[in-house]
């Protein structure tokens, strides 16, 4: 019988651009996606994030989503990403903190659709902010 080896994952860190969001996917289950998401090739941007989400092996993960703007192609990939987390049997619980700017009802409605599609191990919390600010800058998130 071969010994079992744990494959250690590395964090995914992507700095934001005008087209792509900031990403911090840490091995401790703290996940962050924030900024604007309208990458030229949405599939190639989000595929590694989905693979990472499917590979997490933890009791709990917390995913903070703080997107000021995202396009339709991103919306589809976000649902895929949420489903990767929700169906990952190696995860005990997934907490999604959906951050939105006061008055941005479109963002809340979209998150409610995601919430409706992901009910196995995922719970959503909606967090309103008076204005759009980076979570990283606000509370030294993920440093």
């Amino acid at each position: 019988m071969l010994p079992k080896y744990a494959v250690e994952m590395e964090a995914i860190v992507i700095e934001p651009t005008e087209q792509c969001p900031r990403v911090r996917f840490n091995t401790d289950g703290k996940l962050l996606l924030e900024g604007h998401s309208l990458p030229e090739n949405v599939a190639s941007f989000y595929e590694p994030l989905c693979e990472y989400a499917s590979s997490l092996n933890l009791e709990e993960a917390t995913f903070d989503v703080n997107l000021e703007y995202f396009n339709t192609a991103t919306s589809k990939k976000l649902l895929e990403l949420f489903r990767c987390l929700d169906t990952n049997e190696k995860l005990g619980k997934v907490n999604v903190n959906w951050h939105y700017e006061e008055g941005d009802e479109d963002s809340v409605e979209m998150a409610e659709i995601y919430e409706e599609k992901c009910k196995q191990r995922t719970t959503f919390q909606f967090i309103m902010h008076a204005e759009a600010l980076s979570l990283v800058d606000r509370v030294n998130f993920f440093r």
Side-chain angles (χ1 to χ4, degrees):
M1 177 183 243
L2 293 174
K4 292 184 180 179
Y5 294 98
V7 176
E8 262 195 62
M9 299 187 333
E10 292 187 25
I12 296 178
V13 176
I14 301 171
E15 292 304 320
T17 67
E18 288 185 21
Q19 302 290 314
C20 296
R22 170 180 282 126
V23 177
R24 298 281 189 279
F25 275 29
N26 293 343
T27 57
D28 63 359
K30 289 183 180 178
L31 314 174
L32 172 71
L33 186 65
E34 76 171 353
H36 296 91
S37 183
L38 38 138
E40 191 171 306
N41 188 334
V42 176
S44 68
F45 185 85
Y46 280 93
E47 188 58 35
L49 304 182
C50 289
E51 289 175 15
Y52 194 93
S54 296
S55 299
L56 284 172
N57 186 357
L58 299 165
E59 287 183 29
E60 186 171 332
T62 300
F63 188 11
D64 282 275
V65 180
N66 185 27
L67 291 172
E68 292 176 51
Y69 177 80
F70 55 95
N71 60 14
T72 304
T74 293
S75 179
K76 292 175 183 178
K77 287 298 178 182
L78 283 176
L79 178 57
E80 184 180 326
L81 179 55
F82 289 127
R83 284 184 170 158
C84 287
L85 288 165
D86 193 55
T87 59
N88 179 349
E89 294 179 358
K90 297 172 289 204
L91 273 175
K93 181 179 180 184
V94 179
N95 303 304
V96 174
N97 296 321
W98 186 271
H99 300 264
Y100 66 99
E101 190 174 353
E102 184 176 6
D104 190 353
E105 296 306 314
D106 290 340
S107 176
V108 174
E109 287 175 14
M110 199 71 241
E112 288 172 342
I113 291 169
Y114 299 140
E115 180 181 34
E116 191 62 34
K117 305 274 186 191
C118 300
K119 294 192 177 240
Q120 288 185 37
R121 60 186 42 84
T122 304
T123 57
F124 276 70
Q125 180 178 3
F126 299 90
I127 303 170
M128 182 180 64
H129 299 283
E131 60 184 307
L133 291 173
S134 167
L135 295 176
V136 170
D137 297 338
R138 190 177 317 173
V139 293
N140 291 327
F141 228 69
F142 302 97
R143 288 198 180 178

